[in-house]
Amino acid sequence: MQKMREYSKVFLWILVIAFLGWLGLDLGANLTGRNVAQPWERGVIAKVGDFEITYDYYNAYLQKALSDTARKLGRELTQDEIDSLRNKVFRDLVEDIRWGLLARDLGITLSDDAIIKIIAMFPPPEIMQDTLFYTDGKFDFGKYLSLLRTPEAIPFFRLYEDRLRHQIPRDIIRFFLAGMGSVSDLEARYTYDLERTRIKLAYVAIPISVVPDKEVRFTVDELREYYKKIKKDFWHPERVKFEIIRAYLIPSQIDTFNARDRAEVVVQQLKEGVKFSDAVKYYSDDMASKRDSGRIGTVYIGDLPEPFQKALAGAKPGEIVGPVPYAEGFYIFKVDSIKGDSLTLRQIFVKIRISDETRKAIKDSLERAVKENKVLEYGFLVDTSEYINLNWHVFPMVGENYELSAFAQKAKVGDWSRPMETPNYYVIFKLIERQKPGPSDFEEVADMVAARYISEKKREILRPKVEEVAKYVESGDTAGIRKVFPDNPGVRLLESGYITKGVGIPGLPVNYRDRFFIDALKAPVGQVRIFEHEFGFIVYKKLDEKKPTEQEFQKVKDFFKVQLSQKYVNLLMNAFESELKIRYPLEDYRDYLNLR
């Protein structure tokens, strides 16, 4: 922690020295002043840790992203592109805020004076790339300074200021973390040898499945006694259980009428001469056919759903048919050609979309049912979850959710979460049980205990035969091996060829590959070893080993060290970002403002 603060002080001191000669910039308190966050009822769309994201704050980033993207593409954005960008901006904003909060908590901050000087000396990338600020093909710093003194530019520079306040401390932290990924020559050589060494094996794979289940018998009492010996392996952390209330997102009758109106507008535009391919581009909700101007190919009319058959009966080439109600929306067809009972069609699908009013009505109804304790009377579905470990962060129906994880950590039995929206329904979680860390009850894990008991007993039965096989492998007597396991296709005698770390061999579970390879590396050439795993045994003889030479390593040492260091840094950063999600959980209120 002290080193991180020292890094930040050095960085800021360099900035101060670099900016000593700069005078005359007067952005004032308007640039560096901080807005007071509003509660979500007055426009807060999310909360990250203790930082509240207001709609205006988010929308400023969104509008800038929309305009930048449209300018790069040279056209207006489609609704799908807008929706995708909206979600990306939100995700990026949340990530930036998390890093900013961490920097704040670590004491890594930038003063207002430093921010002003950075803005003055380092124009934003979008301005550096804008030819409006160029003179004779070169960036004109004077034009940039003029922009700084323009009051209308203050909102833009507030955004830039905010980016800097998040990005620079974040980069300082990342620089510190990157330093932790440094690799010594000795470590690089060990890893290089581990990854590049090739070994060749002759081996026998013996799964425990060769022992029939009927050969392992036990009573419940025996299983209980066995569980006492392995109870520590079934220790669970603190965990909770939820009652989960579901309210399905079903379009209302008004939503259906609105979709039909949209479809009829499309038909009217087609009749007025709008090209079908253009209408597909702007109105169709079927992504598969939309990519090909609505084409769905040639179909046999008898294979179509009955509503389509009736609508298309007697249709002529070039005719527009629809709107036809079916499933989740309305279909509009254009008949390109007819041959016998087959039609070549194009389509526009107008989906029945759930309106904001319908969503709000469903959510309000769910909240009312919970408040009145009349969930079943309202017709909502009620489920009870299994135990959920608090360190999982994954919950039924909503998946990974750090807001719910934070709720589970703090809530008392009987507390309700806020309504959360999924693609198909709203859900509310009620905490109904909290269990302290400890061993699981035998009844809860009896099946797993039984499976482990059976597996262990089968290995005990097999072990003498495995040791006998090892002797035959050492002598190369394949006939002797087959005598131990006559006519059993589950037992395979194989030769691996040259393999490297991470390469699987038949009969070895994937999660044991690395352990097996390291075990084989340690074995001298010619030695026979028995490798035991969860599902059986590998009896192997090491036939040959080819290690990379010192000259080979020296040729790639520098590049390999960089690669290895980057790998370590990426692993560290991924773990760090996961911890940030826990430390600064997201409470997403966008559903309340219909912003998804």
Side-chain angles (χ1 to χ4, degrees), residues 351-538:
K351 188 175 182 178
I352 301 173
R353 299 183 180 276
I354 300 177
S355 64
D356 295 343
E357 293 76 15
T358 300
R359 291 177 186 274
K360 186 176 185 306
I362 293 172
K363 184 168 62 177
D364 289 348
S365 179
L366 179 60
E367 291 178 316
R368 191 162 53 249
V370 168
K371 185 176 181 180
E372 297 173 2
N373 197 25
K374 295 182 178 179
V375 171
L376 295 178
E377 288 88 332
Y378 275 78
F380 297 125
L381 297 174
V382 182
D383 299 291
T384 301
S385 73
E386 300 293 333
Y387 282 111
I388 299 171
N389 293 343
L390 288 186
N391 57 359
W392 282 355
H393 316 299
V394 177
F395 299 86
M397 303 179 194
V398 297
E400 186 178 68
N401 191 298
Y402 286 88
E403 176 189 346
L404 198 52
S405 180
F407 168 78
Q409 293 277 359
K410 300 175 183 178
K412 298 177 181 178
V413 172
D415 287 352
W416 293 89
S417 74
R418 69 175 184 85
M420 298 183 179
E421 185 178 1
T422 73
N424 298 315
Y425 36 71
Y426 276 112
V427 292
I428 290 184
F429 289 77
K430 179 183 179 182
L431 186 66
I432 58 174
E433 187 179 344
R434 182 182 295 279
Q435 198 173 79
K436 294 181 179 180
S440 301
D441 293 335
F442 171 76
E443 286 73 15
E444 182 186 348
V445 295
D447 289 343
M448 289 186 285
V449 173
R452 183 163 167 178
Y453 180 84
I454 292 170
S455 176
E456 188 172 308
K457 290 299 180 183
K458 284 186 175 183
R459 282 198 296 273
E460 288 179 9
I461 294 170
L462 276 176
R463 200 165 280 115
K465 294 184 178 182
V466 170
E467 292 171 355
E468 187 179 353
V469 166
K471 294 177 182 179
Y472 288 125
V473 170
E474 188 169 15
S475 64
D477 186 356
T478 57
I481 295 172
R482 300 195 185 284
K483 288 179 182 178
V484 179
F485 294 101
D487 303 322
N488 196 315
V491 176
R492 290 172 285 183
L493 174 61
L494 302 164
E495 188 171 303
S496 68
Y498 285 101
I499 61 172
T500 55
K501 180 175 174 288
V503 175
I505 61 174
L508 179 69
V510 172
N511 56 319
Y512 284 89
R513 284 179 182 176
D514 288 350
R515 272 183 277 176
F516 175 74
F517 189 82
I518 291 173
D519 186 81
L521 274 182
K522 294 177 180 177
V525 173
Q527 187 181 78
V528 174
R529 286 195 176 189
I530 298 172
F531 181 82
E532 186 172 343
H533 57 83
E534 185 179 0
F535 303 105
F537 300 85
I538 300 287

Side-chain angles (χ1 to χ4, degrees), residues 40 53 65 80 108 113 120 135 157 179 183 195 204 212 222 224 229 364 367 375 382 437 446 453 501 550 575:
W40 72 264
I53 305 174
D80 290 338
I108 304 173
D113 185 55
T135 300
F157 284 106
V183 178
E195 293 183 357
V204 182
E222 288 174 330
R224 286 183 182 276
K229 299 176 184 177
D364 289 348
E367 291 178 316
V375 171
V382 182
Y453 180 84
K501 180 175 174 288
E550 177 65 21

Side-chain angles (χ1 to χ4, degrees), residues 62-86:
L62 175 62
Q63 294 306 318
K64 182 179 179 304
L66 291 172
S67 62
D68 288 349
T69 305
R71 186 173 65 252
K72 288 178 182 178
L73 295 176
R75 60 172 174 79
E76 292 185 5
L77 303 182
T78 66
Q79 188 59 50
D80 290 338
E81 289 171 334
I82 292 172
D83 291 341
S84 176
L85 196 57
R86 181 183 291 120

Side-chain angles (χ1 to χ4, degrees), residues 97-111:
I97 289 170
R98 282 186 170 127
W99 282 101
L101 291 174
L102 177 66
R104 178 202 67 186
D105 292 347
L106 293 175
I108 304 173
T109 58
L110 296 175
S111 68

